[in-house]
């Protein structure tokens, strides 16, 4: 086991890069998923993020597949006390939304699939405006008081609704959420960094940030090149990035990566890791070769000049 730096989030010590579990039970089978999880833990990583909805969109899946794989891994290794485990509720097709009854049932099922008694961070995955927010806030806190979750997290909430959640939590004597999970990367910054954006609200309220899509659906890995036709499962997800300014960002990533002998993805993750307010970006790996960049990013240190160069081309891609 390698010792790597950790960051403080409430009473948790978390790795500076988290391992996303969306690929487990989808594009990574159980055996490969176990290899990735083992290697991440052996390299000093400890933050594993999943959701009950992963990966209902894949043919033959219904949601819960990722949790089942992670649960099998936890059951076969004595490592639960070394892991900060996060999962989410609201997107599993047969457990949709954030009513109190659904939260209770979904959490029961998540804990069963994960083979654990408690989740360290439990996220409201997407806002559910069909349910009174008070009902949702209280249901999350009931789970916390019962010892089934340790902390509350929010994902994909607007600044206004985040503030409303906190106001209700304070008025009802409930614990405040400790972390926000937003879409954030070198090519997607405005709704996090802008005035009144998610990052500003999170900073004011004392929340950490754990960005998802940290590699822009793979575009920031450098695997896509100018003039090439993009095909495959993620072609639609990277369509908005096929602009010269976005390829300029990739060019700088490639240059900086060459300076350090790492892959461009490691540089993209390290840049995001060190943005104000960020606790840990999340990235997934379908196999061990993809995991290498995540492991490198745990400790990769960019120079001030490299960071400024990346931020400059990122700024240009935003305009």
């Amino acid at each position: 086991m390698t010792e790597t730096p950790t960051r403080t989030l409430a009473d948790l010590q978390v790795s500076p890069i988290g391992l996303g579990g969306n690929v487990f039970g989808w594009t990574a089978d159980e055996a490969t998923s176990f290899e990735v999880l083992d290697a991440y833990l052996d390299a000093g990583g400890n933050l594993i993020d999943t959701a009950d909805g992963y990966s209902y969109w894949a043919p033959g899946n219904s949601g819960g597949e990722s949790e089942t794989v992670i649960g099998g891994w936890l059951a076969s290794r004595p490592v639960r006390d070394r892991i900060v485990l996060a999962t989410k509720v609201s997107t599993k097709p047969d457990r949709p939304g954030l009513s109190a009854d659904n939260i209770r049932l979904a959490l029961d099922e998540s804990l069963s699939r994960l083979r654990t008694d408690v989740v360290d961070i439990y996220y409201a995955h997407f806002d559910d405006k069909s349910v009174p927010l008070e009902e949702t806030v209280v249901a999350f806190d009931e789970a916390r008081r019962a010892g089934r979750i340790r902390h509350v997290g929010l994902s994909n909430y607007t600044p206004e609704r985040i503030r409303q959640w906190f106001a209700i939590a304070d008025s009802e004597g409930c614990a405040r959420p400790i972390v926000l999970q937003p879409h954030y990367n070198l090519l997607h910054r405005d709704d996090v960094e802008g005035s009144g954006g998610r990052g500003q609200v999170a900073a004011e309220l004392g929340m950490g940030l754990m960005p998802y899509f940290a590699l822009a659906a793979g575009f920031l890995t450098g695997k896509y090149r100018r003039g090439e036709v993009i095909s495959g499962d993620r072609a639609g997800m990277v369509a908005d990035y096929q602009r010269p300014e976005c390829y300029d960002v990739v060019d700088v990533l490639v240059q900086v990566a060459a300076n350090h002998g790492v892959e461009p993805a490691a540089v993209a993750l390290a840049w995001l890791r060190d943005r104000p307010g960020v606790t840990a970006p999340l990235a997934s790996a379908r196999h061990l070769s993809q995991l290498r960049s995540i492991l490198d990013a745990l400790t990769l240190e960019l120079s001030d000049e490299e960071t400024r160069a990346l931020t400059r081309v990122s700024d240009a891609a935003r305009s």
Side-chain angles (χ1 to χ4, degrees), residues 224-305:
Y224 303 117
R225 297 295 179 172
R226 298 172 198 264
E228 293 181 357
V229 176
I230 297 178
S231 60
D233 293 340
R234 298 200 169 193
M237 300 172 74
V238 300
D240 289 344
Y241 303 137
Q242 294 177 59
R243 296 180 281 118
E245 304 93 326
C246 296
Y247 284 107
D248 289 344
V249 173
V250 173
D251 289 344
V252 177
L253 284 172
V254 170
Q255 293 167 11
V256 174
N259 294 343
H260 292 272
V262 299
E263 294 295 320
V267 177
L269 289 172
W271 177 90
L272 185 56
R273 179 198 70 200
D274 292 338
R275 297 302 287 173
V278 171
T279 300
L282 304 171
S284 56
R286 296 196 310 272
H287 41 69
L288 288 177
S289 61
Q290 287 189 342
L291 182 68
R292 183 71 257 162
S293 293
I294 295 173
L295 302 186
D296 286 339
L298 288 169
T299 56
L300 176 63
E301 293 299 329
L302 304 179
S303 70
D304 291 344
E305 181 181 351

Side-chain angles (χ1 to χ4, degrees), residues 62-80:
S62 58
E65 289 80 16
S66 173
E67 290 181 331
T68 297
V69 168
I70 294 168
W73 178 74
L74 288 172
S76 62
R77 290 141 170 81
V79 297
R80 178 63 185 93

Side-chain angles (χ1 to χ4, degrees), residues 204-217:
E204 289 176 8
L205 297 174
M207 304 174 81
L209 296 175
M210 288 187 182
Y212 69 88
F213 279 171
L215 295 174

Side-chain angles (χ1 to χ4, degrees), residues 130-170:
S130 72
V131 175
L133 191 53
E134 292 85 352
E135 178 180 336
T136 300
V137 172
V138 170
F140 268 77
D141 204 61
E142 286 176 352
R144 184 190 64 83
R145 292 173 186 269
R148 302 198 303 157
I149 70 174
R150 291 198 170 95
H151 297 285
V152 177
L154 304 180
S155 183
N156 301 298
Y157 273 64
T158 64
E160 179 185 13
R161 292 286 279 181
I162 295 168
R163 292 189 189 279
Q164 290 176 8
W165 186 301
F166 272 70
I168 293 166
D170 290 349

